[in-house]
Amino acid sequence: MIERETLEWTQTWWQQAERDDLPRVLTIGDSILCGYRERVQQELAGKVYVDQYASSKFAADPFFEKELALYAEAYPYACIHFNHGLHGLTFPPERYAECYERALRYLLSLCPRVILALSTPITVPGRQDTLDPLNEVVVRRNEIVRGLAERYQLPLN
């Protein structure tokens, strides 16, 4: 059985979908991405189009792989910015590492320029200065991402 959260969601955004006069960057992430995509688009205006695939699905979910393929293959991307770590928090670190690396290898097969991003800390609701105990999962996942960035010699954001 696939373990899912109470609410699963996906949000996509293709900037200037009808145009091909500039290179495209695909940003992959979660709700944090939904908050900063517009700023990235503004900062890179006139240089690239910034597309978005944001989802709550964990990489072990077969629908994540299907959605990832759908959006990552929509255009030829000059660069992919990959962040995936705040969902599926009950999965053990070994499973996270396996699924993350499988997704990473897939992205590298489409685009040799992949930037990995660390996940943001989880804080106690209403107390931005206090880390939630779940943040230990994020810390461990970020260690895994750092290791993969080093192994594949990829930039880390």
Side-chain angles (χ1 to χ4, degrees):
M1 180 168 176
I2 300 168
E3 185 176 330
R4 292 197 169 125
E5 297 176 2
T6 303
L7 174 69
E8 293 286 357
W9 56 268
T10 298
Q11 184 183 66
T12 58
W13 186 278
W14 287 308
Q15 183 184 19
Q16 299 296 321
E18 81 289 3
R19 301 184 68 171
D20 64 0
D21 57 318
L22 294 175
R24 288 189 173 275
V25 172
L26 177 61
T27 56
I28 300 170
D30 52 32
S31 59
I32 301 298
L33 170 59
C34 299
Y36 68 77
R37 176 200 36 84
E38 188 174 355
R39 180 174 175 181
V40 171
Q41 284 179 325
Q42 290 170 356
E43 289 184 17
L44 297 176
K47 298 175 186 170
V48 298
Y49 295 126
V50 180
D51 297 345
Q52 169 187 299
Y53 164 51
S55 177
S56 64
K57 291 174 188 66
F58 179 62
D61 187 326
F63 287 102
F64 172 78
E65 291 184 3
K66 290 177 182 181
E67 285 182 355
L68 183 63
L70 176 67
Y71 301 117
E73 294 179 20
Y75 294 94
Y77 286 102
C79 182
I80 296 174
H81 186 269
F82 183 43
N83 175 354
H84 188 74
L86 291 181
H87 293 276
L89 294 173
T90 60
F91 280 84
E94 302 79 28
R95 184 76 170 130
Y96 173 78
E98 171 192 328
C99 294
Y100 187 101
E101 187 169 10
R102 184 173 58 240
L104 173 59
R105 284 193 312 263
Y106 168 71
L107 293 173
L108 286 168
S109 76
L110 299 175
C111 177
R113 191 169 184 189
V114 175
I115 300 168
L116 302 183
L118 298 178
S119 292
T120 55
I122 299 175
T123 57
V124 173
R127 299 191 56 205
Q128 297 301 317
D129 60 339
T130 305
L131 293 176
D132 187 289
L134 278 175
N135 193 62
E136 289 304 315
V137 176
V138 175
V139 169
R140 177 66 184 118
R141 288 181 175 189
N142 281 343
E143 290 170 1
I144 291 167
V145 173
R146 279 188 184 94
L148 290 169
E150 186 176 320
R151 183 179 329 147
Y152 286 88
Q153 299 180 10
L154 297 172
L156 184 65
N157 181 3

